[in-house]
Amino acid sequence: MAQHAPAAAHAHDDHHDHKPHGWRRWVFATNHKDIGTMYLVFAGIMFFVGGLMAMVIRLELFKPGMQFVDPLLFNSMTTMHALFMIFGAVMPAWTGLANWQIPMQIGAPDMALPRLNNFSFWILPFASAILLLTLLVPGGGPAGGWTLYPPLALQTADAFPMTIFAIHLMGVSSILGSINVIVTIMNMRAPGLSLLRMPLFVWSWLITAYLLIAVMPVLAGAVTMLLTDHYFGTTFFTAAGGGDPVMYQHIFWFFGHPEVYILILPAFGVVSEIIPAFARKPIFGYEAMVYAIASIAFLSFIVWAHHMFTVGMPLAGQIFFMLSTMLIAIPTGVKVFNWSATMWKSSMTFEPPMLFALAFLFLFTIGGFSGLMLAIAPADFQYHDTYFVVAHFHYVLVPGAVFSILGAVYYWLPKWTSKMYDHKLAKVHFWLSAIFVNVLFFPQHFLGLAGMPRRIPDYATQFTDWNMVSSIGAFGFGLSQLLFPYIIWKCVRSGAPAPARAWEGAHGLEWELPSPLPYHTWETPPSAAVIARGAEH
Amino acid sequence: MNASARRENRKLLLKLLAFSLGAFGFGYALVPLYQVMCDITGFGNEKRLAERSVINAKPDPSRTITVEFLAQLPTVGNWEFRPLQSSMEIHPGQLYTADFIAKNLTGRDTVAQAVPMMAPTKVAPYFHKTECFCFTPQHFSRGEERELPVRFVVDPAIPADIDRITLAYTFYDETTRVAASR
Amino acid sequence: MIRKALAPIAALAAVTSLFFSQGAHAESGWHLLNMRQGVTAISREIYSLHMLIFWVCVVIGIVVFSVMIWSIVTFRKSKGAVPDTTMVHNTKVEIIWTAIPVAILVAMAVPAAKTLVQIEDTRNTELTIKVTGFQWGWQYDYLENGVRFFSRLERKADAARQLGSGVDPNTIPNYLLDVDNPLVVPAGTKVRLLITAADVIHAWWVPDFGMKKDAIPGFVNEMWFNVDEDKTGIYRGQCTELCGRDHAFMPIVVDVRSKEDFQTWLKATAEAQKQAAAPQPAATAHAG
């Protein structure tokens, strides 16, 4: 990178002019756009790997009796589906979007730490490969659930150290990625772009990144303790040596609850970008939105034990965690109300990104309602570890996180490629996804309330009907996602040229850049006038 | 990016790395923190609680509490382990002795450790053991059978809604201890 | 293009018809939509909390979704809607929509906390049974009476549930919800369970009793239930904490009898067990 300050506005140094081609461009990538693309492609592949595992699960659950897989393989499918979707698909997709968007949105030339950026990406494929390979080792993959509760997780065969190692690597990757995001946002903003003028996507990522570097190391600690319990005779979690298996759950969920907000907070950011753009109206209550994200992040540290109401907690503990969990509904409600208010007296059009954002709004709210129900501790004794919980977290993670990622890609793809994709096809993709996601997950509420436990490969016959519906929804949802890579491929290959401001109502510094995008983003920081135009909200 | 900007970035990078390392350490710090919480709320490790204090309160004959004794063994290993009395009626503030009996059928000399647990967990701070075979590992020679006493007193300050206490011991020898962590 | 998109669905329909053709199952499950009220005071309490919070959510949902749908229908560019770009902030409205949820939550928290206090009231239990989860079944131990036995998945279902057994689960009554030896308890009695586990964590749950508790190795959890005097019968549940390969195959069956019938059963069983194993070893390890 430049060792000297640019003498003139358009000064390039030699390094910048050299744009590597072929495989070197990717392996040695330091450009935020290239790395962003790699993250997104990787996340897409992992989404299909994890999705394939979900298909195995839903296939076996199509009807009672064991037809296709051994129960142990089923358990490792549920375990690995979660690990791949969380650490392989959703988190890297957010990092990819951060890489693409944050420099563009804050008027920076690139991410602050380009080589670290390259390193943190390239850890990921290796980590995923290790995790996937566990399926081939004797004893099969990890099958104790993604939460890795001891003592069950300690029964994992040869896959155990590989799983822990893969989790460590994915953790390191996401921590480094987040550090890069924080440094970029704190140090690289264009002069004049104060924190409270930043786009909400950047805000949501800043808070997410802090959350991530605070809790991901805690997970690393917890799984390291598991590892030493297994191989080095420590007894953190074994009662025999004075340890306590419940302590693992406390430590895990101290990580785990913030983790689910790591998955969903950037979605809040994305939706807060898309809705104003297609409503042609600034976001309602910008500052309230920022404070709401911050308070959700804070609350996430003090609610963890609501995942474990059934372990036998003292009464005071149950009441505390019930109340703190219910509190989350308040900032979340504020966000939903603000989005609704943004649409009020607006002028909306319904291009694909907007459709995904609207589906997010409705379906995430449903997930929020079931979350509120789960917060009620006595009722949770009935809901806990049933399909009701499965329905709940899939409602917040699929139409929540995944839909907003799809929406984000449809929103920014014309900027990235300077081409427009096939709207009709994207709308088909949307409608199929939106319908099937409900066919898939809504019946799971019924199954859970009727008493079907989660993580079972076979069930009592009265659960057959709704399981069939759910499985049909799953196959439909899985198949319709194949449209997505096709739409992107078609756009890249033969899309019509898109203008620099691809959407009429889109505001933000990224739309002030020319299309096609220059290889280096904001080599000269945007002027005060450009910032004023782009950063209004 | 100029040199000073890079310096700034590196500085923040190091700070954040240090923060992450701190968070990793915090993960481990949760272990002792959890023990402290348990000592306060009486959940889990009450061995230490027992050692903490011997109360010298007056017996309260107006209240009767049932204390049940449970003996458990892990799935592996070969022992006999049971309480001599399945339950006792006690008055708070008075000192009692209960006996368990253990027999080593493992076919060798070994050392075993009993791990105690109480239900409901909130009684633990009021249940004081002045002497217990669970305080130290117990040596058993091959085939040895021995009575194991526990002397305890229940604090009269125990909440009024408690009428029954369960004291459970799980008996682990060295082999089962290793096996339990597998 | 739409035809192309629909092609996979047609293929899917073909595959699914293949599944359905293997015979419809015994009883329909379409009506299973809600939590059951159960047969204990606590389970009914929980049910009413569940319904209360459900209706609260429905009402909020109707309000919020109506606003959204109204906006989507009305404020369309195609209908000539002009955006009001000055509408970016309104302190009064924001205070209202923060305060109302707070009030609702407080209103919800009070009855929920009351129920928790009731659940934690463990006084005056009349019968104690120790429940030990193991891979994969349950052991029940009537502490005061020396009766103890294992409870595992009933044999026919166990054969049918093997991979590729060829047995249609619909031909087996109470598939996966039946055991060889059910837990027998008296109705109208506050029964206390001491729940623990031998190997990994399990969880004991009978939906009709309204409570679920983890069975944790090395720990003893306490839980109680009191089935209504007139609700004798068979109640079924399952292990609800992933416990390894056969987690789905360790059901819980509780046979609730009248107090007299229970005493008769208890005496007979105690007698039978005494005769079966004259010098009963105390707590020798069971092979799990």
Side-chain angles (χ1 to χ4, degrees):
Chain A
M1 291 254 148
Q3 288 297 320
H4 53 89
H10 292 283
H12 291 193
D13 64 294
D14 315 22
H15 199 98
H16 277 202
D17 279 331
H18 178 72
K19 176 178 167 181
H21 289 278
W23 61 270
R24 284 169 195 280
R25 172 175 172 191
W26 303 107
V27 173
F28 302 118
T30 51
N31 183 293
H32 74 98
K33 300 189 197 90
D34 288 347
I35 293 178
T37 303
M38 290 198 294
Y39 264 113
L40 287 171
V41 170
F42 173 80
I45 294 169
M46 290 301 117
F47 178 64
F48 284 102
V49 170
L52 214 59
M53 293 170 175
M55 293 302 115
V56 174
I57 293 168
R58 283 318 317 175
L59 189 68
E60 183 55 59
L61 289 175
F62 188 84
K63 60 180 205 174
M66 301 296 300
Q67 288 92 20
F68 300 100
V69 291
D70 179 84
L72 203 60
L73 181 60
F74 181 91
N75 289 347
S76 73
M77 285 293 111
T78 57
T79 305
M80 296 197 17
H81 164 72
L83 290 172
F84 274 102
M85 285 304 193
I86 294 166
F87 295 105
V90 175
M91 288 171 72
W94 288 132
T95 315
L97 287 165
N99 262 287
W100 260 104
Q101 288 313 121
I102 289 175
M104 294 207 285
Q105 290 187 311
I106 62 170
D110 204 307
M111 294 295 278
L113 307 155
R115 264 166 300 182
L116 188 74
N117 208 6
N118 174 290
F119 178 63
S120 54
F121 170 76
W122 278 111
I123 294 174
L124 273 183
F126 293 101
S128 302
I130 292 170
L131 191 54
L132 200 57
L133 282 175
T134 57
L135 282 175
L136 303 177
V137 302
W146 81 280
T147 52
L148 300 173
Y149 279 5
L152 182 62
L154 300 173
Q155 292 183 345
T156 313
D158 297 1
F160 187 72
M162 293 167 74
T163 310
I164 304 284
F165 187 51
I167 290 175
H168 274 146
L169 287 181
M170 288 166 165
V172 167
S173 161
S174 61
I175 289 168
L176 296 179
S178 293
I179 288 179
N180 211 343
V181 166
I182 297 173
V183 176
T184 307
I185 297 173
M186 297 315 280
N187 286 1
M188 309 274 288
R189 291 193 313 279
L193 186 72
S194 62
L195 283 175
L196 277 173
R197 294 179 81 187
M198 294 195 308
L200 282 171
F201 178 67
V202 179
W203 254 117
S204 67
W205 236 114
L206 181 63
I207 292 167
T208 304
Y210 271 113
L211 209 52
L212 196 145
I213 62 170
V215 299
M216 198 55 90
V218 175
L219 172 71
V223 297
T224 308
M225 287 182 232
L226 274 184
L227 195 73
T228 56
D229 267 12
H230 195 303
Y231 292 107
F232 303 105
T234 58
T235 52
F236 287 106
F237 308 129
T238 34
D244 181 347
V246 176
M247 182 172 69
Y248 174 85
Q249 299 184 20
H250 280 289
I251 301 176
F252 180 88
W253 287 112
F254 183 82
F255 146 80
H257 201 80
E259 169 66 20
V260 299
Y261 290 140
I262 289 167
L263 303 176
I264 200 67
L265 291 184
F268 293 169
V270 163
V271 171
S272 305
E273 302 281 311
I274 295 176
I275 290 183
F278 295 92
R280 292 168 181 75
K281 187 164 161 276
I283 189 92
F284 185 89
Y286 169 86
E287 286 189 27
M289 288 303 237
V290 173
Y291 298 138
I293 297 179
S295 38
I296 292 172
F298 168 74
L299 285 174
S300 74
F301 285 109
I302 55 164
V303 298
W304 75 89
H306 69 215
H307 293 269
M308 34 192 293
F309 277 136
T310 59
V311 296
M313 248 182 283
L315 178 63
Q318 294 179 41
I319 292 177
F320 172 80
F321 285 107
M322 175 172 79
L323 294 179
S324 61
T325 305
M326 291 167 84
L327 276 183
I328 295 178
I330 292 161
T332 316
V334 165
K335 298 201 75 74
V336 173
F337 299 142
N338 280 1
W339 288 319
S340 309
T342 306
M343 304 196 308
W344 191 257
K345 290 189 178 173
S346 69
S347 174
M348 279 186 268
T349 50
F350 302 93
E351 287 87 346
M354 183 61 163
L355 290 176
F356 278 102
L358 290 175
F360 168 96
L361 213 48
F362 281 92
L363 301 178
F364 177 81
T365 305
I366 292 179
F369 286 145
S370 54
L372 190 55
M373 296 173 77
L374 283 157
I376 310 293
D380 182 76
F381 295 138
Q382 288 281 43
Y383 307 140
H384 180 81
D385 261 336
T386 68
Y387 258 82
F388 190 79
V389 178
V390 178
H392 159 70
F393 67 72
H394 281 97
Y395 259 89
V396 291
L397 289 180
V398 183
V402 173
F403 272 27
S404 56
I405 291 168
L406 297 175
V409 172
Y410 281 131
Y411 182 53
W412 282 310
L413 192 62
K415 188 78 230 171
W416 302 339
T417 59
S418 74
K419 290 172 184 168
M420 188 50 86
Y421 50 88
D422 184 336
H423 276 212
K424 235 186 233 165
L425 211 51
K427 283 183 183 173
V428 171
H429 176 213
F430 166 76
W431 283 110
L432 288 176
S433 303
I435 291 166
F436 279 124
V437 85
N438 287 296
V439 177
L440 163 54
F441 294 120
F442 208 83
Q444 297 185 354
H445 291 114
F446 305 147
L447 287 169
L449 293 177
M452 178 169 162
R454 61 190 284 210
R455 292 167 163 167
I456 55 173
D458 194 3
Y459 48 81
T461 50
Q462 68 263 34
F463 300 131
T464 311
D465 298 300
W466 289 119
N467 267 301
M468 279 189 179
V469 173
S470 180
S471 286
I472 291 169
F475 304 144
F477 185 80
L479 286 173
S480 28
Q481 296 321 303
L482 295 173
L483 279 172
F484 186 56
Y486 172 71
I487 292 166
I488 293 174
W489 177 77
K490 201 178 145 198
C491 167
V492 171
R493 231 177 70 115
S494 57
R501 186 185 303 277
W503 312 104
E504 188 189 43
H507 282 281
L509 288 179
E510 72 268 39
W511 307 106
E512 305 294 329
L513 286 160
S515 272
L517 283 167
Y519 188 64
H520 294 284
T521 304
W522 290 100
E523 282 187 88
T524 15
S527 68
V530 171
I531 291 177
R533 191 166 67 229
E536 67 180 35
H537 30 241
Chain B
M1 228 186 288
N2 60 37
S4 80
R6 291 178 64 175
R7 238 193 339 269
E8 281 304 306
N9 289 350
R10 179 140 308 182
K11 237 164 78 184
L12 187 51
L13 163 70
L14 291 178
K15 270 188 211 162
L16 293 170
L17 277 177
F19 179 81
S20 308
L21 270 180
F24 183 76
F26 179 72
Y28 275 84
L30 285 174
V31 177
L33 273 175
Y34 180 78
Q35 297 299 351
V36 171
M37 279 302 286
C38 291
D39 284 0
I40 294 167
T41 60
F43 194 77
N45 190 344
E46 64 352 312
K47 200 198 302 182
R48 221 172 319 155
L49 279 172
E51 290 159 349
R52 198 164 59 188
S53 64
V54 178
I55 53 152
N56 34 22
K58 277 206 191 95
D60 175 3
S62 66
R63 241 184 113 185
T64 307
I65 295 174
T66 308
V67 180
E68 282 173 338
F69 303 97
L70 277 188
Q72 309 192 75
L73 288 164
T75 34
V76 281
N78 201 2
W79 285 79
E80 197 180 308
F81 180 49
R82 63 189 153 87
L84 276 184
Q85 59 294 300
S86 69
S87 67
M88 283 166 90
E89 306 280 309
I90 61 118
H91 299 302
Q94 202 167 314
L95 192 67
Y96 294 90
T97 305
D99 285 298
F100 283 66
I101 195 155
K103 189 172 185 188
N104 175 9
L105 302 170
T106 58
R108 60 193 156 67
D109 291 6
T110 185
V111 174
Q113 168 79 54
V115 177
M117 178 61 204
M118 306 213 61
T121 48
K122 67 177 171 190
V123 305
Y126 306 96
F127 193 93
H128 303 287
K129 290 179 221 138
T130 57
E131 186 194 326
C132 179
F133 58 95
C134 60
F135 288 171
T136 49
Q138 302 284 321
H139 183 271
F140 275 80
S141 38
R142 187 178 150 182
E144 183 181 344
E145 180 174 343
R146 187 157 89 227
E147 276 183 26
L148 301 164
V150 49
R151 285 166 72 76
F152 63 91
V153 53
V154 174
D155 191 332
I158 190 163
D161 65 340
I162 298 293
D163 61 3
R164 188 178 278 273
I165 296 171
T166 304
L167 177 59
Y169 288 101
T170 314
F171 211 61
Y172 297 98
D173 69 17
E174 280 159 339
T175 31
T176 56
R177 228 169 131 145
V178 174
S181 65
R182 275 299 121 87
Chain C
M1 211 164 292
I2 293 180
R3 237 169 105 189
K4 205 187 230 165
L6 289 181
I9 301 168
L12 183 75
V15 174
T16 50
S17 65
L18 207 94
F19 277 104
F20 285 115
S21 65
Q22 294 192 4
H25 49 279
E27 48 189 317
S28 156
W30 297 114
H31 65 285
L32 295 173
L33 302 174
N34 200 1
M35 184 188 284
R36 60 194 92 186
Q37 300 201 25
V39 292
T40 69
I42 293 289
S43 75
R44 282 188 297 271
E45 193 95 5
I46 288 173
Y47 174 81
S48 62
L49 273 177
H50 158 73
M51 290 316 287
L52 176 65
I53 185 76
F54 171 73
W55 286 115
V56 166
C57 289
V58 168
V59 170
I60 301 174
I62 289 174
V63 172
V64 174
F65 290 159
S66 305
V67 172
M68 290 180 191
I69 292 168
W70 176 266
S71 304
I72 291 170
V73 172
T74 319
F75 306 117
R76 290 175 168 249
K77 196 184 176 217
S78 58
K79 285 190 168 178
V82 179
D84 176 4
T85 50
T86 60
M87 189 190 133
V88 290
H89 184 57
N90 185 332
T91 313
K92 208 190 281 172
V93 171
E94 288 176 73
I95 288 174
I96 290 173
W97 71 40
T98 313
I100 291 176
V102 172
I104 294 173
L105 290 183
V106 171
M108 273 312 304
V110 172
K114 274 189 189 150
T115 307
L116 280 181
V117 171
Q118 282 179 36
I119 289 169
E120 291 297 319
D121 181 359
T122 53
R123 278 173 300 175
N124 304 321
T125 53
E126 299 155 76
L127 172 69
T128 301
I129 301 167
K130 189 179 139 205
V131 178
T132 309
F134 61 91
Q135 287 175 318
W136 288 273
W138 299 94
Q139 185 188 13
Y140 297 111
D141 197 336
Y142 294 70
L143 289 176
E144 291 109 352
N145 313 83
V147 168
R148 84 168 51 181
F149 54 86
F150 293 98
S151 181
R152 287 195 177 88
L153 180 63
E154 175 268 336
R155 267 201 205 161
K156 265 194 208 151
D158 196 37
R161 63 101 179 170
Q162 302 300 329
L163 188 59
S165 69
V167 182
D168 181 359
N170 293 301
T171 61
I172 292 167
N174 297 309
Y175 177 62
L176 299 188
L177 290 179
D178 213 356
V179 295
D180 48 6
N181 304 306
L183 173 67
V184 182
V185 298
T189 307
K190 193 166 180 179
V191 179
R192 171 169 169 261
L193 300 184
L194 291 174
I195 302 176
T196 187
D199 33 46
V200 301
I201 302 175
H202 305 264
W204 199 90
W205 184 39
V206 173
D208 279 305
F209 298 172
M211 278 298 296
K212 174 186 291 143
K213 208 63 163 223
D214 287 356
I216 303 167
F219 285 75
V220 178
N221 257 332
E222 208 177 5
M223 172 186 139
W224 64 269
F225 59 83
N226 189 345
V227 178
D228 297 354
E229 201 100 41
D230 58 339
K231 296 279 168 49
T232 53
I234 305 279
Y235 298 97
R236 301 170 196 280
Q238 279 177 273
C239 175
T240 35
E241 178 64 52
L242 178 60
C243 58
R245 188 176 182 278
D246 288 347
H247 164 54
F249 310 108
M250 47 183 291
I252 295 154
V253 179
V254 184
D255 182 353
V256 181
R257 301 187 183 185
S258 69
K259 285 181 187 167
E260 303 77 57
D261 289 358
F262 171 75
Q263 287 303 338
T264 318
W265 172 86
L266 192 62
K267 259 188 213 123
T269 315
E271 201 55 44
Q273 289 200 348
K274 216 173 272 167
Q275 291 189 350
Q280 170 98 342
T284 40
H286 50 69

